[in-house]
């Protein structure tokens, strides 16, 4: 296995027809520990796949260095980097059987046939390609999407590389199959105890699979931390809104002092018109937000930290505010409430099963202010 180090790496594409250069990856600097499962996540065009392809050697590095096992690999050809990559589109040879697809790379390296047989059979058993049906003699066209992805994984496993690279491997699968394959890859990581670098735009995959997550936007790293740290302490507004489903609610407002309490008062996004939301800060937030008195901030609160007042016993009066119900979505074990405060649209994730549709009616919500997060309006960074 291997430790991978990305040291101040840039990827810059030359501008065409007088246009400025395009910086696809901007000073990426982080380490992937030996046997770690690292996930790079972000929207399309954020630079995550380009970073992965530079590690694989499929893209040249404009500036910076990449190390695998302490060795600079900037100028090392992809075939000599001892990594295995699993692509989004499977990239299987259509004229070869499953067995031959998995064995082909080893045959090119002139590995003994007995060793090839052993590795292919071991990988096939791990991935369920031999039971209940033996798929080794089938061609890719006779396989489902999930089975093809298992073959692509098997082809990587038999290589026994220093690191596995995954480029959005589940995006072509249906929702149920994505969940199943997500679980299989997590099990695979535990079984192989190997270094894995995984690229996805799906924040659910990132949260459920990663040891640590790199969140990227516009080529820059926004935050690198463990999943729950990113969820509970997002570094800025982008991370807070990107990680979490449904996403975090944001309310623009101002910090004021009332009756010896520090209060968040809602304002329109332009900052002029006051809204109905006025929430008293708990002691810890009051201390942090004291320097922001009479200044604009953004309140972030996750849907699960808002509850219908009818289902909260003895709520703090300073945590209650009024809103209007626009859409109600029963999800079975919980209910999503889409509401409007007058200046902002928000989502509440009620733990109660609510089937009565009262669209257009007012609803009193209780906010768990200890779990609220506040962001500087100018910098968009978390006020920590």
């Amino acid at each position: 296995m291997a430790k991978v180090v990305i040291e101040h790496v840039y990827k810059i594409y030359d501008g065409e027809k007088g246009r400025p250069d395009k910086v696809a990856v901007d000073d990426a600097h982080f380490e992937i520990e030996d046997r770690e499962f690292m996930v790079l996540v972000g929207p399309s065009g954020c630079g995550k796949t380009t970073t992965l392809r530079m590690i694989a050697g499929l893209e040249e590095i404009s500036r910076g260095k990449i190390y695998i096992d302490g060795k600079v690999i900037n100028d090392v050809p992809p075939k000599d980097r001892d990594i295995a990559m699993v692509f989004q589109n499977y990239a299987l040879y259509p004229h070869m059987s499953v067995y031959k697809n998995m064995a082909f790379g080893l045959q090119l390296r002139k590995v003994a046939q007995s060793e090839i047989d052993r590795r292919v059979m071991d990988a096939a058993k791990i991935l369920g390609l031999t039971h209940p049906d033996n798929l080794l003699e089938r061609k890719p066209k006779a396989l489902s999407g999930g089975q093809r992805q298992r073959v692509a994984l098997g082809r990587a496993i038999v290589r026994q590389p220093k690191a596995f690279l995954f480029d959005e491997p589940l995006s072509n699968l249906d929702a149920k199959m994505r969940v199943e394959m997500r679980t299989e890859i997590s099990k695979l990581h535990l079984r192989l105890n190997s270094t894995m670098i995984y690229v996805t735009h799906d924040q659910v995959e990132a949260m459920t699979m990663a040891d640590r997550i790199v969140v990227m936007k516009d080529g820059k790293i926004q935050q690198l931390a463990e999943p729950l740290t990113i969820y509970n302490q997002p570094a800025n507004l982008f991370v807070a809104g990107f990680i979490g489903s449904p996403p975090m609610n944001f309310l623009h407002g101002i910090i004021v002092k009332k009756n010896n309490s520090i209060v968040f008062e809602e304002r329109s996004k332009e900052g002029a018109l006051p809204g109905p939301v006025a929430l008293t800060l708990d002691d810890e937030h009051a201390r942090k937000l004291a320097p922001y008195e009479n200044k604009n901030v953004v309140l972030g609160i996750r849907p699960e930290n808002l509850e219908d007042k009818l289902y909260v016993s003895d709520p703090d009066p300073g945590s209650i505010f009024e809103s209007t119900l626009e859409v109600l979505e029963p999800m079975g074990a919980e209910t999503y409430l889409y509401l409007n405060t007058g200046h902002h649209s928000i989502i509440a994730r009620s733990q109660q099963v609510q089937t009565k549709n009262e669209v257009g009616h007012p609803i009193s919500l209780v906010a768990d202010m200890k779990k609220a997060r506040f962001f500087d309006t100018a910098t968009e960074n978390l006020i920590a």
Side-chain angles (χ1 to χ4, degrees):
M1 299 307 107
K3 178 177 181 178
V4 180
V5 178
I6 317 297
E7 188 177 89
H8 299 294
V9 166
Y10 291 77
K11 179 60 183 179
I12 304 171
Y13 294 101
D14 294 335
E16 297 179 359
K17 299 179 181 179
R19 295 176 181 174
D21 293 345
K22 167 65 176 176
V23 181
V25 177
D26 190 346
D27 196 19
H29 185 73
F30 60 97
E31 296 182 0
I32 301 146
E33 298 296 336
D34 184 29
R35 306 173 195 275
E36 184 175 24
F37 198 122
M38 178 74 83
V39 174
L40 279 59
V41 68
S44 296
C46 72
K48 57 188 185 296
T49 294
T50 303
T51 302
L52 191 78
R53 289 173 65 85
M54 286 192 288
I55 296 171
L58 303 178
E59 293 276 1
E60 289 187 4
I61 301 165
S62 300
R63 293 209 302 268
K65 295 179 180 178
I66 296 179
Y67 299 81
I68 295 180
D69 253 0
K71 178 184 177 183
V72 179
I73 49 91
N74 288 35
D75 299 321
V76 176
K79 66 183 180 64
D80 297 327
R81 295 191 179 194
D82 200 9
I83 53 92
M85 191 160 180
V86 180
F87 296 91
Q88 177 180 345
N89 61 355
Y90 320 132
L92 300 177
Y93 297 108
H95 62 287
M96 292 185 181
S97 67
V98 167
Y99 177 92
K100 289 182 178 178
N101 264 285
M102 293 172 65
F104 187 62
L106 299 179
Q107 291 169 346
L108 289 180
R109 288 169 176 77
K110 295 183 169 51
V111 176
Q113 186 59 46
S114 59
E115 178 65 9
I116 292 175
D117 289 339
R118 185 188 67 79
R119 291 193 195 182
V120 169
M121 291 307 298
D122 286 348
K125 289 175 182 176
I126 289 172
L127 295 167
L129 298 175
T130 58
H131 183 80
D133 296 320
N134 190 339
L135 306 179
L136 292 179
E137 296 308 316
R138 291 190 189 178
K139 300 283 180 64
K141 66 180 180 181
L143 304 177
S144 68
Q147 289 169 336
R148 292 179 192 178
Q149 195 57 276
R150 289 171 190 267
V151 176
L153 285 171
R155 184 176 54 192
I157 291 169
V158 298
R159 290 271 313 280
Q160 297 181 354
K162 289 181 178 178
F164 290 88
L165 310 183
F166 296 89
D167 184 14
E168 302 199 37
L170 309 184
S171 58
N172 288 341
L173 304 179
D174 62 54
K176 183 174 183 292
M177 185 59 69
R178 279 203 303 271
V179 174
E180 291 179 4
M181 287 303 299
R182 195 169 73 207
T183 304
E184 289 301 320
I185 292 174
S186 295
K187 289 179 181 177
L188 197 62
H189 176 246
L190 293 173
R191 187 174 299 185
L192 299 178
N193 206 13
S194 54
T195 304
M196 292 187 174
I197 308 168
Y198 188 102
V199 161
T200 181
H201 63 271
D202 187 334
Q203 54 91 18
V204 175
E205 287 181 19
M207 287 293 295
T208 54
M209 300 172 75
D211 293 323
R212 288 191 299 160
I213 297 173
V214 177
V215 184
M216 299 185 70
K217 177 192 177 189
D218 298 333
K220 293 179 179 287
I221 293 175
Q222 303 294 308
Q223 188 171 4
L224 194 165
E226 295 178 356
L228 289 180
T229 299
I230 287 179
Y231 190 81
N232 293 318
Q233 297 292 334
N236 54 42
L237 278 173
F238 171 77
V239 176
F242 190 81
I243 299 294
S245 181
M248 180 179 276
N249 299 300
F250 297 120
L251 289 82
H252 291 255
I254 191 169
I255 299 297
V256 296
K257 193 168 186 178
K258 282 187 176 180
N259 301 324
N260 296 321
S261 295
I262 304 294
V263 176
F264 169 85
E265 285 190 350
E266 181 188 22
R267 294 286 190 273
S268 61
K269 290 185 180 180
E270 295 74 24
L273 299 174
V277 179
L279 297 168
T280 303
L281 275 59
D282 61 282
D283 292 342
E284 183 179 355
H285 279 113
R287 177 177 53 80
K288 291 178 181 178
L289 274 294
Y292 283 81
E293 188 174 340
N294 298 318
K295 293 182 180 179
N296 293 325
V297 297
V298 178
L299 164 65
I301 189 160
R302 296 208 177 272
E304 61 266 29
N305 301 138
L306 297 173
E307 182 58 275
D308 189 332
K309 181 187 170 189
L310 292 174
Y311 303 105
V312 180
S313 59
D314 195 25
D316 181 348
S319 66
I320 302 171
F321 66 94
E322 299 299 318
S323 62
T324 302
L325 180 63
E326 294 184 327
V327 177
L328 184 145
E329 288 185 349
M331 303 296 289
E334 59 190 9
T335 306
Y336 291 174
L337 308 172
Y338 293 79
L339 310 116
N340 195 290
T341 66
H343 290 315
H344 299 92
S345 294
I346 60 173
I347 306 173
R349 190 177 188 170
S350 174
Q351 296 303 305
Q352 305 299 320
V353 179
Q354 302 186 19
T355 57
K356 186 179 179 182
N357 195 331
E358 297 180 340
V359 171
H361 287 218
I363 286 185
S364 296
L365 292 177
V366 179
D368 186 346
M369 291 305 293
K370 290 184 178 180
K371 295 183 178 177
R373 296 294 176 260
F374 291 87
F375 301 88
D376 187 293
T377 303
T379 66
E380 297 191 350
N381 290 333
L382 179 71
I383 299 171

